[in-house]
Amino acid sequence: MADSDAGIWKLRWDTAVAEGAGYLLVAIVCLASELLIWGLSRTLAAARLEFFSTIVGMALVFALSTACWVVWKRTDGFYRRWLKARVDFINAHLGAGFAIPMIMLDQDEMLNGGEIGRVIGSFIATNIVSWVAVFLLSVAAIGGVTQLTSQSPIRKGFVSSEKSIAPTSSDDGSSSADFEVEAQTQQATGSRDGLLISIPRATDTEKQLESGAPAQGLSNTNEQAEPSCASVAESSTWNFFSRHFPILLSLALIFTVGIPLTITIHEERLFDGFTLWFIWISSVRSQRAFKHSKICTCSAPLKRGLATLMNPVLLTTLLMMGYTRAKASVLGPGGLARTLQKFSGGTHLYALWTAAVNGNEIPSNPTGWFGAGDAALSILECGILVWGFKLSECRRQIFSLTGLVAIILCTAAAAANVFLSVIASRAMGLQVTEALSFAARSTTLALAKPATEAIGGNSPVNAMLVVSNGILGQLVYPFILDKLGVSKEHDENDRDGETGLAETQQTATIIPTTPVEASSSSNSNSSSTPSTDSPVTVAAGIAIGINGAAMGVSYLYETRSRAAPYAALSMVVFGVMTVVFTTVEPFKGTLISLASR
């Protein structure tokens, strides 16, 4: 019994160490991302295009990872073993940064009732027109191109050329079964908050858990004593803490570190940060638990609707707004402005580093303040940059005729949105500055702010439009995408999945809270996967990338949708062209002239 207990605790210790090492790798990836963004911002500073550094960084990561694959095919195996789980983890939690612009809205910056009504009216009108028009035009264009190429006598040669230019990662042993098993493993464990350096096959893990041995392989397992499974699960307290430790840790840090430092030395950043972490992770876990619970199982539409309303970004925004306002009420007059100032200084991390190195002072943030909200926005920047790896996973879709058509459609959509949205907003009675805010109404936050400032738009209104677009999209995606039949498989491959399946079961993934058996998907192969994406899937990705921006892309990657790479490509092209049309003459002058009429 003593040997059995020692084995159980050794297994627990090994799991905890692996978990900690996984989080350390996440921190390293984030730090490396910020350093890359900083270097690119210095390179782009001469042209005053520092705000492009995150997008350029994503493109650079995509180019480098693809080039590495071309030079050495085994780099995909390294990526999947060491980096993929970390990239997925960052993507799963970058949503906390989406809430910051809404939290930072000050009452002094709010519009009056009539202006708010006109803004909402313009928001609804432009969204309906943009979503429907972009989707239908994309379906027609992609469908037409697909039909023409399928009837072309050189179709066979084109497909062969396409695969040679941008092959998938299947050549080095990865397959569609990888994604199916990983997704089902994540669903079974109910958590994406744990990261292992390496985890053995599910069947091996079961035997190791039963034996109380550390994760070292079957040979050691068979030599161990075999206590019952109850000996591992004898401690409900351990299971509870291991399953909910992110929530419990953040809550403990609030009371043991955050509040004492706030009271004693008036250091509020840790208090704000731990509170944001607690609210975000609790919202994520609550939605996930509700989806897998037996509550409202009698009505699937009701349960789906309630789960959608439990959107973590929406809940975090509302709860953090309540937190900051409650905190401000304790401080008395001027408390809200002070609370928001402490929460976020509104300066990018790369700008603070540059100012510190050069010894300069930032006019909008002379003290160089970096708050909890700024940290969340930095994680958002890192998340967008590491999407370069996600794009590389789907390089076949990017380097294709469909990808080229998507680029053309996004360029046209950017021009139409910039000019027609402003004209429509003015026609509905908005003032010039508010109307100009619609020029970048659905561009990612990294580009929307400089684009709006360049033409003299209302930045708080623009931030509200961008975040509202993203939240609205995340609320309707579960219904619309299911109705459209958009595929949930994220990758295309041409080989049987056995090799990839074995690799996935042994590579970095989530720490299972209970033994997880390999599913029947191990027998699946890519023959059941469509050789090309349907026009509806591609069009959905383009429409979400244009209208949903980063929040839409994040959702598609989170749900492992095949539309995700098209959405990421569309977001980048649409955002870049929006900046071009709002900052480069003669487009900028024409836009301001139209808004001033």
Side-chain angles (χ1 to χ4, degrees):
M1 181 62 68
D3 292 340
S4 174
D5 291 340
I8 292 172
W9 280 104
K10 189 175 190 306
L11 176 60
R12 290 173 175 175
W13 172 256
D14 291 344
T15 301
V17 171
E19 178 94 3
Y23 285 118
L24 179 61
L25 273 178
V26 170
I28 293 173
V29 171
C30 289
L31 178 60
S33 300
E34 282 294 346
L35 290 173
L36 177 58
I37 292 172
W38 184 30
L40 291 172
S41 70
R42 292 296 80 217
T43 303
L44 297 170
R48 297 183 180 180
L49 296 175
E50 298 95 329
F51 52 85
F52 268 123
S53 56
T54 303
I55 299 299
V56 173
M58 178 175 63
L60 182 60
V61 169
F62 168 59
L64 288 177
S65 57
T66 302
C68 288
W69 181 91
V70 173
V71 174
W72 190 32
K73 301 294 189 293
R74 295 180 65 85
T75 54
D76 264 3
F78 174 84
Y79 164 71
R80 293 182 183 279
R81 182 173 296 276
W82 294 100
L83 294 179
K84 188 177 186 305
R86 280 88 229 172
V87 171
D88 291 342
F89 178 86
I90 294 172
N91 179 73
H93 296 288
L94 60 83
F98 294 131
I100 305 304
M102 296 295 287
I103 298 171
M104 292 300 297
L105 289 179
D106 195 338
Q107 293 178 347
D108 296 335
E109 299 174 331
M110 299 298 292
L111 305 176
N112 59 44
E115 292 173 329
I116 291 176
R118 287 188 287 271
V119 168
I120 293 175
S122 299
F123 174 81
I124 295 174
T126 53
N127 266 283
I128 292 175
V129 172
S130 180
W131 278 97
V132 174
V134 169
F135 178 75
L136 293 180
L137 288 174
S138 299
V139 169
I142 300 299
V145 169
T146 302
Q147 186 174 6
L148 289 175
T149 54
S150 63
Q151 294 175 354
S152 172
I154 62 172
R155 171 62 178 169
K156 183 176 180 180
F158 171 77
V159 173
S160 176
S161 174
E162 178 183 322
K163 291 182 179 179
S164 64
I165 292 174
T168 64
S169 55
S170 60
D171 296 339
D172 66 304
S174 302
S175 72
S176 59
D178 295 2
F179 295 97
E180 295 172 8
V181 171
E182 183 177 350
Q184 292 177 8
T185 301
Q186 291 168 343
Q187 182 177 6
T189 59
S191 172
R192 289 192 180 184
D193 307 313
L195 298 169
L196 274 177
I197 295 299
S198 179
I199 186 169
R201 300 185 183 186
T203 52
D204 299 356
T205 304
E206 291 178 356
K207 296 180 180 180
Q208 290 158 353
L209 286 172
E210 292 176 356
S211 66
Q216 295 177 345
L218 283 174
S219 59
N220 292 341
T221 301
N222 294 333
E223 299 173 1
Q224 299 289 336
E226 296 185 357
S228 65
C229 293
S231 63
V232 177
E234 93 292 347
S235 174
S236 58
T237 303
W238 172 266
N239 291 335
F240 178 82
F241 276 96
S242 63
R243 183 182 295 271
H244 301 291
F245 83 92
I247 297 177
L248 298 174
L249 179 60
S250 59
L251 187 61
L253 289 173
I254 289 174
F255 288 99
T256 60
V257 179
I259 294 178
L261 289 180
T262 300
I263 296 175
T264 56
I265 62 175
H266 305 290
E267 174 54 69
E268 303 176 21
R269 283 177 288 194
L270 292 177
F271 183 31
D272 292 339
F274 294 145
T275 302
L276 176 60
W277 177 18
F278 171 74
I279 290 176
W280 167 255
I281 199 66
S282 298
S283 300
V284 171
R285 291 295 189 90
S286 297
Q287 186 191 48
R288 190 178 298 154
F290 180 78
K291 286 180 178 179
H292 294 91
S293 70
K294 295 182 179 180
I295 302 175
C296 295
T297 53
C298 57
S299 177
L302 175 61
K303 182 166 185 175
R304 184 184 304 147
L306 292 175
T308 301
L309 291 177
M310 294 176 67
N311 181 276
V313 177
L314 179 60
L315 290 181
T316 300
T317 301
L318 295 176
L319 292 175
M320 283 302 298
M321 289 183 71
Y323 161 77
T324 53
R325 274 58 184 177
K327 186 178 176 183
S329 65
V330 177
L331 300 178
L336 181 58
R338 180 179 176 277
T339 299
L340 296 180
Q341 184 180 11
K342 292 288 185 179
F343 185 71
S344 174
T347 307
H348 295 283
L349 184 58
Y350 65 79
L352 293 176
W353 285 349
T354 300
V357 170
N358 296 335
N360 298 330
E361 186 178 277
I362 301 175
S364 60
N365 188 7
T367 61
W369 184 261
F370 187 79
D374 300 308
L377 290 175
S378 295
I379 296 175
L380 175 58
E381 289 181 341
C382 295
I384 293 176
L385 185 139
V386 299
W387 280 345
F389 290 116
K390 307 300 292 183
L391 287 174
S392 184
E393 291 178 21
C394 311
R395 45 187 170 263
R396 177 189 292 181
Q397 292 98 314
I398 302 300
F399 292 111
S400 65
L401 183 58
T402 301
L404 177 61
V405 173
I407 292 174
I408 297 173
L409 288 172
C410 291
T411 302
N417 178 77
V418 167
F419 294 100
L420 296 182
S421 292
V422 172
I423 293 174
S425 299
R426 284 291 287 157
M428 296 188 70
L430 287 180
Q431 299 297 319
V432 174
T433 55
E434 283 73 33
L436 288 171
S437 302
F438 278 80
R441 64 171 189 84
S442 58
T443 308
T444 184
L445 289 168
L447 301 179
K449 184 177 180 179
T452 303
E453 291 176 348
I455 55 178
N458 189 318
S459 294
V461 171
N462 175 260
M464 181 178 64
L465 294 173
V466 172
V467 177
S468 298
N469 262 324
I471 293 177
L472 179 64
Q474 290 204 348
L475 291 176
V476 300
Y477 295 149
F479 302 97
I480 301 300
L481 295 180
D482 286 344
K483 294 293 183 182
L484 294 176
V486 176
S487 175
K488 291 294 184 66
E489 294 174 339
H490 175 84
D491 199 30
E492 320 182 40
N493 300 281
D494 303 314
R495 292 179 35 178
D496 194 307
E498 280 187 45
T499 305
L501 173 61
E503 181 180 357
T504 297
Q505 290 174 328
Q506 294 181 6
T507 200
T509 183
I510 306 302
I511 294 179
T513 52
T514 58
V516 182
E517 297 183 352
S519 69
S520 60
S521 60
S522 60
N523 298 322
S524 65
N525 56 56
S526 59
S527 62
S528 62
T529 301
S531 59
T532 57
D533 293 315
S534 69
V536 171
T537 296
V538 179
I542 294 174
I544 290 175
I546 288 175
N547 294 284
M551 291 181 69
V553 177
S554 177
Y555 176 86
L556 292 178
Y557 276 130
E558 182 78 8
T559 57
R560 317 189 69 78
S561 172
R562 289 178 66 89
Y566 304 108
L569 177 64
S570 300
M571 179 196 75
V572 172
V573 175
F574 181 83
V576 170
M577 294 310 300
T578 296
V579 173
V580 170
F581 290 131
T582 54
T583 59
V584 177
E585 297 290 355
F587 307 113
K588 175 182 177 180
T590 303
L591 179 62
I592 295 176
S593 176
L594 290 173
S596 301
R597 292 181 179 178

